[in-house]
Amino acid sequence: MQRMCKIIENRELCRDVYEMRLECPEIVQESKPGQFLHIKINKSADPLLRRPISISRIYRDTGCISIVYQCVGKGTEEMAALKQGEYIDVIGPLGNGFTLFQRKKSAVIGGGIGIAPLLEIVAELTDCDAYLGFRDNTFKLDEFASACKELHIATEDGSLGSRGNVTDIIKDIKKYEIVYACGPKAMLKRIKELCAEKNVKCFISIEERMGCGIGACLVCACKIKEGDAWHYKKVCTDGPVFEASEVDFDD
Amino acid sequence: MINMSVDIGGINLKNPVLTASGTFGFGREYSGYYDLSKLGGIVVKGLTLEPREGNKPPRIAETPAGILNSVGLQNPGVEYFIKKELPFLREFDTAVIANIAGSTVEEYCIMAEKLGSLVDGIELNISCPNVKEGGAAFGVSAESVYNITRKVKEQCKVPLIVKLTPNVTDIKEIAVAALEGGADALSLINTLLGMAIDINSRKPILANAVGGLSGPAIKPVAVRMVWQVAQAVNIPIIGMGGIACWQDAIEFILAGADAVSVGTANFVNPYAPMEILEGIENYLINNQFGSINEIKGNIRL
């Protein structure tokens, strides 16, 4: 569905990372973790396209959704300049989202801005650990700490937690029955390998350059194995969440 | 009551607003947003004889007021379309036009034969810039346009629309060749060949390096080409290229188009075709025209 949504809050969490809270009760009713909103930042033809941004938190009591986004170009820079009380054009919720399994020992593993959609997962699960990787600046750690059982952090510059990649701080992947992950492709590829070695079920959220967001334009292709064959599936409607074992990263 | 119906080389459209091939899938994705029966017609995603996986991603790059795409004709093949997609489209009271692409003239002919009279029209895609063989190669010389049009027309049981590429020196010459080959109508323009480079990685953004530019950025080029072609041929024209609002559509019709196709705008605003249709109707009412045909080519020079 398409709605004009009121901005309740739009604030900087750390350098170039922002959180926007939108009032959108009808979208909230249909949303689940891992889905995304497709946002037209202004009415202008430049930037032309909508911006796909993952849902970070779903507040069912207040009818609000929180999204966390990084300023990486013209569109997100304009988005960061929007003020509380303004309205933006939103289509959503889009994508398949994560299917959560309660009563199974779970972990979320995230890198960079990819940690944002994991927040709703830890909020909804009762027995979940989190492994988060950042370049330097961290964000949302308080919310993760209060919602998950164990919180493990890695930073590339060593400013907080262990120095290095998030995949290096996972000591014992096989204690988990389910892993949910989101982040850069190299990280997801490594997590896929770790989980495959120990036979842990793993779901990952994939990012790809997107057009329409609703499955018509076929630009956000992701290589998915089906038996011995493979097909390009659509990240926007077949995904963005796929079972890690079926994603072919070797392209 | 305004008469909005148009005749595109024998295809009767209830109104002049269509959706452009490659931007509307097979209609399913948009059917939740509005009743597809309100459209003049749907031109489906480009079909090939065999299923195609398409090009490696990234397949899209955003550029000022436009997008470059390099999908590479990903589609399930003409037979799957006939069995699985066409029945859905036929639930709606709108014209269905099949866009077909091939790597040989024979492939186009076989597809036209298979489609028979199951669709209301066939759009000959000889202008796709994103495939290695065939595609635009057929569309850039007058001789090959004449030949492929003539051969496919022999197999075609429904009106044949030839879709022209803008990546040519003289579009009028190509339009005349299609007319002489037997085209019942023309559609233009397909995308303009373009390129975008990521200055940090120093790599092209598209995996295919180059792709087709569409969106508002190309509209003035498209209007000019529609105007030139309308001077050169007397068959109906479906105008397209960057139409995002009703004012854009009116511009194309004034330039000589009988109907318009909405493409990239669907990606930004799923309701764009409906808003454009309403805007055209209001323009006609406000300017006291009784039918859409009264403004076709009606510019003051």
Side-chain angles (χ1 to χ4, degrees):
Chain A
M1 70 180 90
Q2 187 217 13
R3 290 287 181 273
M4 293 304 291
C5 298
K6 188 178 182 181
I7 299 167
I8 303 298
E9 189 177 33
N10 190 25
R11 67 187 177 107
E12 193 171 25
L13 297 177
C14 66
R15 190 166 42 100
D16 292 340
V17 176
Y18 288 76
E19 176 174 31
M20 181 183 278
R21 199 149 44 90
L22 294 167
E23 189 178 70
C24 47
E26 291 154 295
I27 295 175
V28 163
Q29 282 192 357
E30 296 181 10
S31 294
K32 58 191 261 195
Q35 289 188 299
F36 65 94
L37 303 181
H38 214 19
I39 297 177
K40 182 78 178 108
I41 291 151
N42 58 29
K43 286 196 161 81
S44 133
D46 187 31
L48 180 64
L49 294 173
R50 289 174 181 272
R51 294 292 184 270
I53 301 183
S54 286
I55 292 171
S56 178
R57 284 301 314 275
I58 305 164
Y59 300 103
R60 301 196 188 272
D61 50 344
T62 56
C64 289
I65 280 179
S66 157
I67 53 176
V68 174
Y69 59 98
Q70 192 164 19
C71 282
V72 288
K74 193 173 173 180
T76 37
E77 275 161 22
E78 283 187 25
M79 197 166 155
L82 291 171
K83 300 272 179 288
Q84 180 186 342
E86 291 185 80
Y87 283 78
I88 50 170
D89 175 350
V90 175
I91 292 180
L94 298 176
N96 59 354
F98 288 104
T99 300
L100 302 189
F101 297 85
Q102 292 287 356
R103 288 185 291 277
K104 288 198 190 273
K105 180 74 185 162
S106 309
V108 296
I109 308 173
I113 199 68
I115 74 153
L118 305 178
L119 204 46
E120 181 63 23
I121 300 179
V122 296
E124 293 189 19
L125 289 179
T126 47
D127 187 5
C128 187
D129 296 345
Y131 297 83
L132 309 177
F134 302 89
R135 186 168 296 155
D136 38 36
N137 293 316
T138 59
F139 52 92
K140 289 284 171 190
L141 295 184
D142 291 350
E143 283 187 52
F144 273 99
S146 64
C148 61
K149 281 205 163 163
E150 288 176 22
L151 175 59
H152 305 269
I153 295 160
T155 49
E156 281 177 28
D157 67 351
S159 57
L160 193 72
S162 309
R163 178 192 291 266
N165 293 322
V166 66
T167 45
D168 299 330
I169 59 170
I170 305 163
K171 296 266 173 346
D172 186 15
I173 194 91
K174 65 176 184 298
K175 73 176 174 184
Y176 301 108
E177 292 171 270
I178 312 261
V179 164
Y180 307 93
C182 183
K185 274 204 175 115
M187 184 201 91
L188 295 178
K189 190 179 174 185
R190 182 72 191 121
I191 293 168
K192 174 191 163 166
E193 290 162 0
L194 288 173
C195 290
E197 280 165 23
K198 305 294 180 195
N199 216 9
V200 176
K201 209 168 183 59
C202 176
F203 296 94
I204 56 179
S205 178
I206 301 275
E207 195 175 55
E208 186 53 74
R209 284 177 185 265
M210 206 174 267
C212 68
I214 60 173
C217 74
L218 309 181
V219 303
C220 57
C222 175
K223 219 174 190 178
I224 298 294
K225 286 181 218 152
E226 281 182 334
D228 292 335
W230 63 269
H231 296 292
Y232 278 131
K233 295 248 174 153
K234 306 174 211 179
V235 172
C236 65
T237 49
D238 297 319
V241 177
F242 294 96
E243 199 166 336
S245 58
E246 61 180 10
V247 177
D248 186 345
F249 284 108
D250 301 328
D251 205 358
Chain B
M1 190 68 186
I2 301 278
N3 181 3
M4 291 286 276
S5 69
V6 290
D7 184 314
I8 301 296
I11 312 169
N12 285 306
L13 306 181
K14 67 171 79 165
N15 68 62
V17 178
L18 301 105
T19 55
S21 178
T23 67
F24 210 71
F26 301 113
R28 290 183 194 275
E29 291 79 10
Y30 291 92
S31 62
Y33 288 89
Y34 57 88
D35 179 4
L36 302 185
S37 297
K38 290 181 177 163
L39 287 167
I42 294 170
V43 187
V44 306
K45 171 69 186 165
L47 301 166
T48 50
L49 193 52
E50 300 296 332
R52 280 178 65 97
E53 288 294 342
N55 295 337
K56 275 188 184 180
R59 294 174 172 185
I60 188 169
E62 193 177 35
T63 59
I67 56 171
L68 287 165
N69 91 80
S70 171
V71 171
L73 286 174
Q74 179 178 340
N75 81 96
V78 69
E79 279 174 15
Y80 182 97
F81 166 75
I82 291 169
K83 284 198 192 100
K84 304 284 185 184
E85 301 291 354
L86 190 56
F88 171 77
L89 284 165
R90 281 305 186 202
E91 290 173 20
F92 302 95
D93 177 24
T94 189
V96 175
I97 296 166
N99 178 290
I100 60 169
S103 48
T104 63
V105 173
E106 288 66 38
E107 282 183 15
Y108 283 93
C109 291
I110 297 168
M111 277 189 276
E113 208 183 336
K114 282 182 191 289
L115 287 161
S117 347
L118 297 171
V119 289
D120 299 298
I122 287 179
E123 183 176 66
L124 196 63
N125 184 350
I126 48 170
S127 45
C128 176
N130 294 325
V131 289
K132 283 203 179 70
E133 296 168 334
F138 290 111
V140 290
S141 94
E143 193 189 346
S144 70
V145 170
Y146 170 80
N147 281 332
I148 193 169
T149 306
R150 193 173 54 83
K151 294 216 169 97
V152 177
K153 178 66 187 170
E154 281 172 15
Q155 302 301 325
C156 222
K157 293 192 175 65
V158 289
L160 180 65
I161 303 160
V162 176
K163 187 167 183 178
L164 307 183
T165 170
N167 304 311
V168 293
T169 311
D170 181 2
I171 190 116
K172 299 190 298 293
E173 180 195 64
I174 304 289
V176 169
L179 168 72
E180 288 173 349
D184 298 295
L186 300 175
S187 59
L188 65 153
I189 60 175
N190 204 317
T191 54
L192 281 153
L193 196 59
M195 185 174 184
I197 298 168
D198 180 329
I199 60 165
N200 295 314
S201 66
R202 303 202 305 277
K203 288 178 178 174
I205 293 176
L206 299 174
N208 194 42
V210 297
L213 181 64
S214 64
I218 71 167
K219 195 192 74 178
V221 177
V223 171
R224 182 264 295 179
M225 287 188 158
V226 165
W227 180 66
Q228 286 181 322
V229 168
Q231 316 289 305
V233 301
N234 57 1
I235 49 176
I237 294 169
I238 302 171
M240 76 193 84
I243 296 175
C245 59
W246 65 267
Q247 291 92 335
D248 296 340
I250 298 288
E251 244 188 282
F252 275 83
I253 298 167
L254 290 172
D258 297 79
V260 292
S261 263
V262 181
T264 302
N266 289 305
F267 301 161
V268 183
N269 175 13
Y271 301 101
M274 291 299 101
E275 291 170 9
I276 288 165
L277 179 58
E278 195 186 332
I280 295 173
E281 220 165 350
N282 288 335
Y283 175 86
L284 295 175
I285 293 167
N286 294 338
N287 291 280
Q288 277 128 39
F289 292 109
S291 79
I292 185 79
N293 294 315
E294 287 173 44
I295 63 163
K296 175 193 146 73
N298 194 357
I299 47 169
R300 298 168 178 156
L301 286 169

